[in-house]
Amino acid sequence: MSIKSAAGNPLSVLKRHLHAACAATALLLAAGSLAEAADLNALIWCDHSDPALLQPFEEANNVKVNVKEFEGTGAGLAIVEQSQPGDWDVMVIDSIDVPRGVEKGLFEPLPEDKLPFADLFPQVKMDGSTVVGGKRYGITEKFGYNTIGFNKTKVDPADMQSLASLTSDKYKGKVAIYDYYLPVIGMAALAIGKKTADLTEADLPALKEELLKMKANAKLVGEVTASQTALATGEVDILVGGGEWVTAGLAKENPALDFSIPKEGAVLWSQSLAMFKDSKNKDMALKFIQYILSPEGQARLATSSCYWGMPSNTKAALTDDQKKILRFDEQPGFLARAQSYPAPNAELDKKMQDMWTEMLQAK
């Protein structure tokens, strides 16, 4: 055989090695892509990071759920903007903010025939927010109320049936206020007979007056942990903006803690799941949403170690004790009195934030 035959030609040998190397690299890249695709990447609130919620899904589907926690829609959308298309598969988002994600072209329409919409509490389907342009982009998974949380051994529970108690001299110095402007402004609106959905700039003076009355009665204004701790330890007896999300998780340690939906109403919060349009794992993303909305997933989400809340599915597999703590059987009446979060435009939102800051700084 000639030294310059095809088999021995140095150029041919080099080409064969290059082809083999390229093929091996391609296989490695494909394997890496498959490994990445096998994972599910979720932008979530803290209640979804509970292993008791995630592990059953991971084991049943042989998948790893990678989660990143955030607080507030703005923070979540900022993470998405800093990421590459396809980095994320699903997102937890305030139901009222689903249109913000749709406007940015982030979300995939959800297949209604593959999700248990018929089993949801009708009042929390939130079609006005989760349906955009005739297509559904979000499904409510959990909800609750910003209302009055209280220690029923320290206050008269009958007083807690009216928002007027929050500004009563009877409870001066025994009140904490949750430091988040929208729900508490919503409560102030209800207290003065305004609908949360109809608030305008013209309402701001009356709202500020009501907020200042609340502040004058308060011992402290604090974020979630500080305000919850103040109620749990007895530093205060009433939490403005509290609700089942504060009291239910503490019920075993302190069964005296409870919440009311006063006659004037309460502010309804709800969170939804959405699927990213650029997800590389849409089948698994849908399975995850289906799991969270299943009776078993709903029970685990409702009683998450981070915070409890009402499951949106009426068939959630809660125990009788869990239903009692969440006041499950009273929900139809509660929902009938609840109103949605205020949803101001950017200009009014800025003025509401400024008003809130003025309230915080008031002596």
Side-chain angles (χ1 to χ4, degrees):
M1 180 181 291
S2 167
I3 196 167
K4 291 186 179 181
S5 67
N9 186 308
L11 186 59
S12 297
V13 172
L14 179 60
K15 284 181 178 178
R16 285 203 304 276
H17 280 298
L18 286 172
H19 282 304
C22 288
T25 301
L27 284 170
L28 286 171
L29 288 173
S33 297
L34 287 171
E36 290 172 7
D39 285 359
L40 189 75
N41 300 315
L43 278 175
I44 52 112
W45 295 359
C46 65
D47 56 338
H48 288 66
S49 61
D50 191 336
L53 174 69
L54 295 179
Q55 283 181 359
F57 176 79
E58 291 176 323
E59 292 170 1
N61 293 278
N62 192 29
V63 66
K64 170 65 177 172
V65 180
N66 303 310
V67 298
K68 183 175 180 63
E69 293 182 21
F70 69 93
E71 291 185 14
T73 298
L77 294 178
I79 294 171
V80 176
E81 289 172 2
Q82 295 161 13
S83 305
Q84 295 298 314
D87 280 356
W88 302 104
D89 301 301
V90 294
M91 180 180 188
V92 178
I93 186 170
D94 277 300
S95 298
I96 61 169
D97 288 331
V98 169
R100 292 175 63 181
V102 176
E103 288 168 9
K104 292 178 178 291
L106 298 177
F107 298 147
E108 176 87 358
L110 297 175
E112 293 200 26
D113 60 334
K114 296 181 180 178
L115 292 165
F117 283 98
D119 296 332
L120 302 190
F121 285 95
Q123 298 94 329
V124 300
K125 290 183 179 179
M126 307 289 286
D127 288 352
S129 299
T130 58
V131 177
V132 180
K135 297 179 179 179
R136 187 177 297 278
Y137 290 90
I139 180 168
T140 305
E141 54 168 12
K142 190 172 178 178
F143 70 95
Y145 309 93
N146 290 108
T147 182
I148 305 175
F150 59 91
N151 185 321
K152 58 189 176 185
T153 65
K154 300 288 187 64
V155 304
D156 184 347
D159 291 342
M160 301 299 105
Q161 300 307 311
S162 173
L163 291 171
S165 63
L166 303 180
T167 55
S168 167
D169 288 342
K170 183 176 181 179
Y171 297 112
K172 190 175 182 65
K174 299 178 180 179
V175 177
I177 299 174
Y178 172 40
D179 187 5
Y180 184 33
Y181 71 107
L182 282 177
V184 180
I185 287 174
M187 291 182 66
L190 294 172
I192 61 174
K194 298 285 184 178
K195 291 185 176 181
T196 57
D198 298 337
L199 297 178
T200 68
E201 185 176 349
D203 297 313
L204 295 183
L207 289 169
K208 182 177 179 181
E209 182 180 354
E210 187 67 16
L211 289 172
L212 289 173
K213 287 180 183 177
M214 290 183 186
K215 173 72 182 303
N217 247 24
K219 185 172 185 178
L220 65 92
V221 181
E223 43 73 44
V224 172
T225 303
S227 58
Q228 180 172 311
T229 300
L231 181 64
T233 60
E235 183 180 0
V236 299
D237 302 329
I238 298 170
L239 175 56
V240 179
E244 78 301 311
W245 61 275
V246 172
T247 62
L250 299 171
K252 285 186 179 179
E253 292 78 20
N254 193 344
L257 299 184
D258 204 352
F259 69 98
S260 66
I261 306 296
K263 62 184 181 182
E264 299 91 345
V267 177
L268 176 71
W269 60 263
S270 70
Q271 59 192 65
S272 287
L273 275 171
M275 182 194 305
F276 282 99
K277 181 181 67 178
D278 294 326
S279 167
K280 297 174 183 175
N281 205 355
K282 289 181 182 176
D283 288 345
M284 191 61 69
L286 179 59
K287 282 187 177 181
F288 183 73
I289 295 173
Q290 290 170 328
Y291 162 69
I292 295 293
L293 270 295
S294 70
E296 295 75 20
Q298 284 281 277
R300 295 179 185 122
L301 179 65
T303 58
S304 167
S305 59
C306 185
Y307 64 91
W308 284 38
M310 270 296 299
S312 62
N313 191 332
T314 60
K315 296 181 178 178
L318 295 166
T319 66
D320 289 342
D321 284 345
Q322 290 168 340
K323 285 186 175 183
K324 184 177 180 181
I325 291 170
L326 287 167
R327 315 269 289 277
F328 193 94
D329 294 337
E330 298 177 70
Q331 292 305 312
F334 288 174
L335 286 165
R337 298 202 298 280
Q339 295 189 31
S340 61
Y341 254 55
N345 60 29
E347 182 180 356
L348 182 56
D349 185 68
K350 174 68 167 59
K351 291 180 178 178
M352 284 183 169
Q353 290 187 54
D354 291 344
M355 177 179 68
W356 185 257
T357 301
E358 291 172 14
M359 183 274 285
L360 293 177
Q361 294 172 347
K363 298 297 185 182

